[in-house]
Amino acid sequence: MNRTFTMIKPDAVGNGHIGAILEKINASGFNIVAMKLTKLSKSDAEKFYQVHSERSFYGDLVNYMTEGPIVAAILQKTNAVDDFRVLIGATNPAEAAEGTIRKLFATSISANAVHGSDSDENAKIESNFFFKNDERF
Ligand code: ATP
Ligand code: MG
């Protein structure tokens, strides 16, 4: 599959990094096929991160993701899921490689600037979460 799903998270939006992050995404060969600026409700965030509901950081993660607006987008490129995970870098920005989006723009392991799908299956589920009723995508 050649699509992945991303969010620019509240820290990166709040710190004014939307433009720089989109620039980097385009420069790395991804096309943006759908995009919106929105804000997650508590129940949206709980649902989106349901897979982490047993983890110790779940409550903090839900609070953090509802703190401010996010940008949700579907990205297209060959090998999109894996290539985008390389572009964003490790979950903890302290461990992220030089030049990755998280190394450049993230502030902590929870406020880590961007989300990237971890499989083709989840890319589809996550894209539908935000763009389900829009037949253009
Ligand atoms: P994402 O799914 O957002 O792309 P990821 O796949 O690199 O990130 P996951 O393990 O799926 O990492 O965790 C989802 C999110 O939960 C992380 O991006 C981060 O915001 C938060 N998180 C993960 N581990 C921790 C932790 N140990 N402490 C606090 N927050 C964490
Ligand atoms: Mg993940």
Side-chain angles (χ1 to χ4, degrees):
M1 202 174 109
N2 58 3
R3 286 184 172 197
T4 191
F5 172 79
T6 188
M7 283 187 283
I8 302 177
K9 296 185 179 183
D11 60 298
V13 173
N15 289 328
H17 296 315
I18 294 175
I21 290 172
L22 293 179
E23 185 79 39
K24 202 147 175 62
I25 287 171
N26 278 149
S28 303
F30 293 87
N31 284 322
I32 298 165
V33 298
M35 183 164 71
K36 67 173 133 185
L37 181 73
T38 184
K39 192 165 186 287
L40 296 177
S41 68
K42 187 156 188 280
S43 80
D44 290 335
E46 284 171 349
K47 227 182 290 167
F48 189 88
Y49 283 110
Q50 189 59 46
V51 59
H52 294 306
S53 60
E54 302 304 317
R55 309 281 289 275
S56 58
F57 57 81
Y58 181 65
D60 288 343
L61 177 60
V62 167
N63 285 336
Y64 159 66
M65 288 302 296
T66 56
E67 265 173 17
I70 59 107
V71 173
I74 301 172
L75 306 177
Q76 188 158 313
K77 181 186 183 296
T78 53
N79 204 34
V81 166
D82 289 346
D83 286 2
F84 193 68
R85 299 283 297 189
V86 172
L87 178 62
I88 67 180
T91 307
N92 185 351
E95 292 163 11
E98 288 300 328
T100 60
I101 291 175
R102 283 170 170 164
K103 182 70 176 188
L104 290 166
F105 303 112
T107 46
S108 70
I109 190 166
S110 46
N112 63 0
V114 282
H115 164 81
S117 303
D118 60 11
S119 66
D120 287 352
E121 189 192 4
N122 283 335
K124 188 134 202 87
I125 292 168
E126 292 168 1
S127 297
N128 282 336
F129 191 90
F130 286 92
F131 299 101
K132 188 175 183 165
N133 296 317
D134 195 328
E135 69 286 353
R136 291 172 296 178
F137 310 117

